[in-house]
Amino acid sequence: MQPETLADLTRPPVATDLFREAMSRLGAPVTLVTTDGPAGRQGLTVSAITSVSDAPPTVLVCLNRSNRSHETFLQNGVVGISILGAPHNALAGIFASSRRSADEKFATGRWRTGQTGAPLLDDAVVTLDCTISDIHSSGSHDVLFCIVEAIGLHDAPEAGLAWFGRNFHHLPLSGSATQ
Ligand SMILES: Cc1cc2nc3c(=O)[nH]c(=O)nc-3n(C[C@H](O)[C@H](O)[C@H](O)COP(=O)(O)O)c2cc1C
């Protein structure tokens, strides 16, 4: 008998709804991922972001290719990542809206321009100013590998913001998970 392979096509696919339910239980960060440049300014709420490497400092961001903003990110080649905190629930909702224009989204919050030209949220817990180094397509999404060119750290963030069970949750800066 052949050993199991990662892509065993004889196995029935997992239902999309089941996969989405499973992923809703994976606690995740909440960020605003933004861009600006020759192709224009865009931004959206993103949880699919993770650290990849510290030399060079690299993160990855997964973006749905059907997002209105998608081509703009690829054409500008720069990405601002603003990691959100407890005060930013409403902002996360605004940037996740498929009905608001980019101008409507950026009308909320105080924004500055990073050295790459990407917009960064002034009072974010952390900002990462990035250039795209590589793009891998996988299924419905593109995985953007982003080199971090500059970092901004908030002096005294109140609390973090997490996405879990299709809801926002506040994460205290100090505390213990032990019971
Ligand atoms: C908490 C949360 C996390 C999200 N994470 C992602 C993500 O990782 N990647 C993605 O492409 N869309 C993600 N979305 C959905 C986009 O924010 C949403 O589809 C948005 O309307 C896309 O904007 P656009 O169509 O203007 O580009 C997330 C939404 C929420 C509420």
Side-chain angles (χ1 to χ4, degrees), residues 44-48 62-64 67-69 95-98 105 163:
L44 73 160
T45 303
V46 166
S47 280
C62 302
L63 296 181
N64 195 320
N67 289 338
R68 293 171 301 171
S69 56
F95 271 75
S97 163
S98 56
K105 290 180 177 182
W163 180 247

Side-chain angles (χ1 to χ4, degrees), residues 11-155:
R11 203 175 285 164
V14 165
T16 305
D17 286 353
L18 176 60
F19 178 71
R20 288 186 176 175
E21 177 59 29
M23 291 302 101
S24 79
R25 301 180 191 191
L26 175 63
V30 186
T31 72
L32 300 184
V33 171
T34 53
T35 189
D36 201 355
R41 182 173 64 162
Q42 287 288 350
L44 73 160
T45 303
V46 166
S47 280
I49 166 172
T50 194
S51 169
V52 174
S53 151
D54 62 3
T58 309
V59 296
L60 67 75
V61 177
C62 302
L63 296 181
N64 195 320
R65 279 193 302 281
S66 66
N67 289 338
R68 293 171 301 171
S69 56
H70 190 68
E71 271 304 310
T72 310
F73 280 96
L74 304 196
Q75 287 176 30
N76 286 341
V78 300
V79 173
I81 299 169
S82 298
I83 301 177
L84 300 185
H88 300 127
N89 279 32
L91 198 55
I94 289 169
F95 271 75
S97 163
S98 56
R99 286 188 298 275
R100 290 178 198 256
S101 68
D103 284 348
E104 285 170 329
K105 290 180 177 182
F106 283 99
T108 309
R110 287 194 320 276
W111 295 91
R112 61 188 157 83
T113 303
Q115 67 184 44
T116 66
L120 299 167
L121 184 68
D122 235 359
D123 63 341
V125 175
V126 173
T127 57
L128 306 174
D129 190 16
C130 307
T131 52
I132 300 172
S133 62
D134 210 356
I135 300 171
H136 290 209
S137 292
S138 181
S140 53
H141 281 56
D142 275 354
V143 184
L144 275 51
F145 290 81
C146 304
I147 305 286
V148 180
E149 311 285 358
I151 294 178
L153 294 179
H154 194 296
D155 292 343

